[in-house]
Amino acid sequence: MRHFISMFDWTPAELAELIALARRFKSGRATAEVERLAGRILTMVFFNPSLRTRTSFEAAMLRYGGHAITLSVGGDTWQLEHRDGLVMDGPAAEHVREAVPVLCRYGDLLAVRTFAGLKDAAEDAADPVIRAFGRFATQPVINMESAFEHPCQGLADWLTVEEKCGGVRGKRFVVTWAPQVKGLPMAVPNSAVLSLAAAGAHVTLAHPPGYELGPRVLEQARAWCRAGGAAFAVTDDQQAACRGADAVYVKSWGRPALYGKPDAQRESFAQHRDWMVTPGHLGPKTILMHCLPVRRNVVIADAALDDPRCVVVDQAENRMWVQAAVLSTLVGDAAGAARS
Amino acid sequence: MRHFISMFDWTPAELAELIALARRFKSGRATAEVERLAGRILTMVFFNPSLRTRTSFEAAMLRYGGHAITLSVGGDTWQLEHRDGLVMDGPAAEHVREAVPVLCRYGDLLAVRTFAGLKDAAEDAADPVIRAFGRFATQPVINMESAFEHPCQGLADWLTVEEKCGGVRGKRFVVTWAPQVKGLPMAVPNSAVLSLAAAGAHVTLAHPPGYELGPRVLEQARAWCRAGGAAFAVTDDQQAACRGADAVYVKSWGRPALYGKPDAQRESFAQHRDWMVTPGHLGPKTILMHCLPVRRNVVIADAALDDPRCVVVDQAENRMWVQAAVLSTLVGDAAGAARS
Amino acid sequence: MRHFISMFDWTPAELAELIALARRFKSGRATAEVERLAGRILTMVFFNPSLRTRTSFEAAMLRYGGHAITLSVGGDTWQLEHRDGLVMDGPAAEHVREAVPVLCRYGDLLAVRTFAGLKDAAEDAADPVIRAFGRFATQPVINMESAFEHPCQGLADWLTVEEKCGGVRGKRFVVTWAPQVKGLPMAVPNSAVLSLAAAGAHVTLAHPPGYELGPRVLEQARAWCRAGGAAFAVTDDQQAACRGADAVYVKSWGRPALYGKPDAQRESFAQHRDWMVTPGHLGPKTILMHCLPVRRNVVIADAALDDPRCVVVDQAENRMWVQAAVLSTLVGDAAGAARS
């Protein structure tokens, strides 16, 4: 049985297989894999609100005869503890050691969304909540965005570049930081960089000094680019990076040194307002990407979002197709493991 | 492709066809139209809580092999912005320009509930949120109650009168205002008046001075009554209006001049406590209607709600049947448009 | 038509039939009863959050071709009033007299979760909310935990003892109180004691003085034990009670005399910290049970929960099987009533 918690646990070749399967789902040619989802129950546990993730996962199950059960931790249900050895006399009434195996008895797959704490970068990088789910689950666990990664978004990004740029290998993919109104996690840029590196694109990461991604992501992305014969670069020159890009992926994230200091974080954003992406950042054939939700005229200007080069809706649609591929693959893998 | 956002966009003959289809659904004779819903996904977006609307829409889809995904804006998901050109640095993290087309990629139909702001009557009458959904949707949009209209409730009202009064044409239909504990929107009385006017009933609207419905509704209702050979009247004499009615429809709404002044609104309600409907308002064959939820002994007296002439539960059931008709019609229309 | 609101309304023989059916569901042999759930809609109304109950009921319907609609009162929807004759000018916008019959028009079964008020033990024992649902429902009502009982949990407990202890008749079943961080209702211990008494086990209830269950439960449990040839005992010697037990069921509940006094309640808990269950409480073949959620190292020590004798996950899984049996039985009963 296998989880889809982290891209670090999958090889580029395996990720490419997921993309190929997603394309078959999208074009209606995934017969055997489609049948695997019929009658299956996906239990989705949300520690944070969601629009696209919730709807695209539920739609992926429903379209192929499966079902989805949605739980909001702290909303429909109580808070869950994941740390070991505590005297649980605080707000959390249940431990994942009980909750996770129980949920695995009712459904066939377990998907989890949990955001970064944004207090301690090292703790966020360890991704403790989703890792605890993985440790105690007896069914496949899918990452619907965790503190450190958003691998389903990363797959959707890969598929979108492949479709819109006529292939992905050797294409110039730029991930650029943009300002925000509050500190946000790095899960999305982490996964975008990893995914397109695994895909064989030339990857450039652009951000102001101080907004570095963690070393684990940078090393893995550099290694995958090198193995695929592609370049990997980091720069603080946004304009130069975007010039000539096949795809510009915009995303805001917080400055790790300012975690827990919202006022200082906002000041830092304010100093980089000119990183907001406009049509001027895009070449004539450059596609504009963003994972959504996007704050208009803060992160990206109206004129860029309303431009035909903007593919954010197609990118969001691809969430559904890559997730169908992931769900089907994990169910098939779990069934294979049960037989052997 | 067509939306069901406003009764103003549909002719009385088209609305009558929806009612006829609803009757076929209810009696189990709607085969071809039933099949249209199989495998379809309705995405429901709630800006406000709901009991009947949520359950009746979801049940309508499930009964006929379809599915429903429910999203609570601000609960399961974040707030959505609908105004254009803003710098989105406030609480709304996403714009309907992205959210609506994305949701249309996952499902087949999009239903929206949004209440009136109750601050500016002109803004409420323009129905900006649901209109924005309609503008950016690539799938049919259904109004589950907006600032200005509740057209599915209106259809359920029409069907209920038709069933309970032995037809609707020429029947005497009275919409009477009643007091409340807080200001409420006019969507329900607007749609009740429009719907029964379209149906060919004689429509009388009774309310204290100051509680007038907007001119657009009154003019359209008057025109539809005239075209159907029926009378349309407005009065502040509740007792006279109810005397001899075939159906008395009770509903509370706020006084537009007191929008944003809750204390003054409550005082105004208190001056009209005698507008609470009792069995004394009903003739021996008059049916008593209300859209629910109803505050007992504030809006309608216990004795009237517990009387056999009260049909509020049948009226609520009819929500499901008319909505099945609307959903099926819009799916068929969208499929037809896609073929042509 | 029959409800599953209270074990007092069912005979031990009828409850045993439900257990037998649950075993057939679990082993895949319940064909005719399975087919009853296909296409049925269960409407679930939650006045309180839930993880296991929500998921296990929804999974039970989905696995057998049925559907579930979930409503959170006060969350997705407004508050509901259940008291009669009031002027409803408070926070509750709707009365169960309308809400319940309406929900029965949309679905086939109605399930309700409502917690104890924990202010007045007599009011909690009367279980006014779920009883009001039962009174106004035109479809079968299922108790998903009410102020006074949790009968589905009780059935899961019975099934778990039967499976894990090689039968239930004559087995020694101990329900022991344990400390908590806040006052909790007695629904779970009430139903555990009643269920295992109906099953024919020897039942011992252990708690500190002042934590007595109500006389109605004690009398019924004593009568059912006597009728089954089994012993019923109450003690304040936890160690002696657990020694030699086949099953130790741990549960915290509040002290009725301290309802509404949270500080005094916490002090009382603190005086009985040594009632926390550890591996030392368990014999070599004793199984350890808890309904979950459980606060680790407050109610039960880590070492006991992580011990192979702990069966809490199996016990939680059994919720799904007994509920499938209850749902199927009530649907069959309602269908039979409709035919006759």
Side-chain angles (χ1 to χ4, degrees), chain B residues 141-223:
Chain B
V141 172
I142 295 135
N143 185 338
M144 297 196 293
E145 185 170 358
S146 64
F148 194 62
E149 292 187 62
H150 196 347
C152 291
Q153 182 65 54
L155 290 182
D157 303 337
W158 176 338
L159 176 58
T160 305
V161 173
E162 192 169 301
E163 288 180 336
K164 296 289 176 184
C165 301
V168 64
R169 189 160 293 280
K171 299 294 173 182
R172 288 154 302 175
F173 181 71
V174 174
V175 174
T176 178
W177 180 91
Q180 245 285 350
V181 300
K182 61 172 180 177
L184 286 180
M186 295 172 177
V188 166
N190 283 347
S191 291
V193 162
L194 287 171
S195 183
L196 274 293
H202 301 296
V203 175
T204 300
L205 175 63
H207 57 73
Y211 285 88
E212 285 74 21
L213 297 186
R216 235 178 112 231
V217 166
L218 297 179
E219 283 159 27
Q220 182 65 74
R222 188 170 283 119

Side-chain angles (χ1 to χ4, degrees), chain B residues 49-52 54-56 58-59 62-63 72 181 292-298 302 306 313-314 316-317 320, chain C residues 41 67-71 75-78 85-90 92-95 97-99 102-103 105-106:
Chain B
S50 157
L51 179 83
R52 256 160 301 282
R54 159 81 196 282
T55 313
S56 59
E58 190 159 350
L62 293 172
R63 276 170 176 259
S72 299
V181 300
L292 304 181
V294 60
R295 289 176 174 272
R296 285 174 161 255
N297 303 315
V298 173
D302 272 346
D306 298 333
V313 175
D314 299 299
E317 180 190 330
M320 181 168 62
Chain C
I41 297 173
H67 312 286
I69 297 175
T70 306
L71 300 169
D76 303 338
T77 178
W78 34 75
L86 292 182
V87 175
M88 286 175 56
D89 54 7
E94 181 152 27
H95 199 281
R97 283 177 176 270
E98 277 75 46
V102 165
L103 290 176
R105 296 290 178 98
Y106 301 144

Side-chain angles (χ1 to χ4, degrees), chain C residues 113-138:
Chain C
R113 158 163 289 196
T114 165
F115 263 23
L118 296 180
K119 282 173 192 156
D120 175 341
E123 187 186 314
D124 287 346
D127 234 349
V129 179
I130 188 114
R131 288 290 177 191
F133 268 76
R135 199 155 73 245
F136 299 114
T138 59

Side-chain angles (χ1 to χ4, degrees), chain A residues 86-323:
Chain A
L86 292 181
V87 175
M88 287 175 56
D89 54 6
E94 181 153 27
H95 199 280
V96 294
R97 283 178 175 270
E98 278 74 47
V100 172
V102 165
L103 291 176
C104 289
R105 297 291 179 98
Y106 301 144
D108 301 290
L109 295 145
L110 192 58
V112 186
R113 158 162 290 196
T114 166
F115 263 23
L118 296 181
K119 282 172 193 158
D120 176 342
E123 188 185 313
D124 287 347
D127 234 349
V129 178
I130 188 116
R131 289 290 176 190
F133 269 76
R135 200 156 69 246
F136 300 114
T138 59
Q139 302 283 2
V141 172
I142 294 135
N143 185 338
M144 298 195 293
E145 184 170 359
S146 64
F148 194 61
E149 293 187 60
H150 196 347
C152 291
Q153 182 65 54
L155 290 182
D157 303 338
W158 175 339
L159 177 58
T160 304
V161 173
E162 191 169 302
E163 289 179 334
K164 296 290 176 184
C165 301
V168 64
R169 190 161 293 277
K171 299 294 173 184
R172 286 153 303 174
F173 180 71
V174 174
V175 173
T176 178
W177 181 91
Q180 246 284 348
V181 300
K182 61 172 180 178
L184 286 180
M186 295 173 178
V188 166
N190 283 348
S191 292
V193 162
L194 287 171
S195 182
L196 274 293
H202 301 295
V203 175
T204 300
L205 175 63
H207 58 72
Y211 284 88
E212 285 74 22
L213 298 186
R216 237 179 110 230
V217 166
L218 297 179
E219 282 160 26
Q220 181 67 74
R222 188 169 283 121
W224 277 346
C225 279
R226 192 183 309 124
F232 180 83
V234 181
T235 177
D236 63 1
D237 185 341
Q238 186 190 34
Q239 292 281 351
C242 292
R243 205 172 302 138
D246 294 293
V248 167
Y249 192 116
V250 190
K251 183 68 183 89
S252 312
W253 63 89
R255 184 171 176 160
L258 304 179
Y259 277 9
K261 298 172 185 164
D263 291 343
Q265 178 68 77
R266 268 190 299 272
E267 266 176 55
S268 176
F269 286 146
Q271 287 166 20
H272 300 295
R273 281 215 189 97
D274 58 333
W275 281 68
M276 180 177 82
V277 171
T278 67
H281 289 77
L282 308 177
K285 294 192 167 181
T286 309
I287 61 168
L288 174 64
M289 303 175 70
H290 190 282
C291 63
L292 305 180
V294 61
R295 289 176 174 271
R296 284 173 162 256
N297 303 316
V298 173
V299 179
I300 304 179
D302 272 346
L305 282 165
D306 298 333
D307 188 286
R309 290 167 288 184
C310 173
V311 300
V312 296
V313 174
D314 299 299
Q315 189 183 353
E317 180 190 330
N318 280 338
R319 291 286 306 277
M320 181 169 63
W321 304 116
V322 300
Q323 289 161 192

